[in-house]
Amino acid sequence: MYKPILCVLELTNRCNLRCPHCASDSGKSRCYEMSRNELHTIGIRSNGDVLGCLSLGDDFIEANLLETPLSEIWNSGKYFQRFRKKEESLCGTCGKCTFGKKCKAGCTAMAISSTNTIGDNTYCVRRLEEKRLLRELFD
C-alpha cells in the first residue's frame, strides 16, 4: 500500500509574504476558503485519523480520512463540536475569567493535561502573570 511521505494542506491563499521558495499563488482568498472565525487547527495522523490538534490523544479522534472525506469531516455538523462550541465547556477559573469566552481556555492539549477538561487551563498566561503580580505586591 502506498503511504505518502509528506502531506501539505494549503488552508488559505491569504498569505501576503510572497516568499520566493513558495509555489503558492498567494494573495486573494479563494471562494471556498474558510473565514478566520472558521479556520483554526486540524491534525491529520499518518493513518488518516483526524483530530482537532495532533497534541491531543485518541479520545479526540473525530474521523478517519480513509473512511470520510475531509470536506465532510470539516463541514458536517457532527464533527468538532467540542471545539466549535468550546466556550460552553468553560469551567473553573477560566469559566469565571472575563476573557474566558475570548480565549476559550487557550490550548486544549494544555488544558486536558493540567485539568482533564477542555474548559480550564492552569497554564493560562494571564492566570500565571496575575499570580506573579499579586505575589510581588503582597510578599
Side-chain angles (χ1 to χ4, degrees), residues 59-118:
D59 291 344
F60 288 88
I61 296 171
E62 296 288 338
N64 188 287
L65 289 179
L66 301 176
E67 300 162 4
T68 313
L70 183 58
S71 59
E72 183 181 331
I73 295 168
W74 188 258
N75 295 317
S76 169
K78 76 180 200 181
Y79 302 105
F80 297 108
Q81 289 305 303
R82 290 181 279 194
F83 299 101
R84 294 176 195 242
K85 297 179 178 183
K86 196 173 170 192
E87 64 274 1
E88 294 174 10
S89 300
L90 293 176
C91 58
T93 306
C94 292
K96 299 172 199 157
C97 178
T98 348
F99 298 99
K101 290 194 179 195
K102 188 167 182 100
C103 84
K104 299 175 185 165
C107 172
T108 302
M110 292 297 279
I112 287 290
S113 69
S114 65
T115 65
N116 206 30
T117 174
I118 67 170

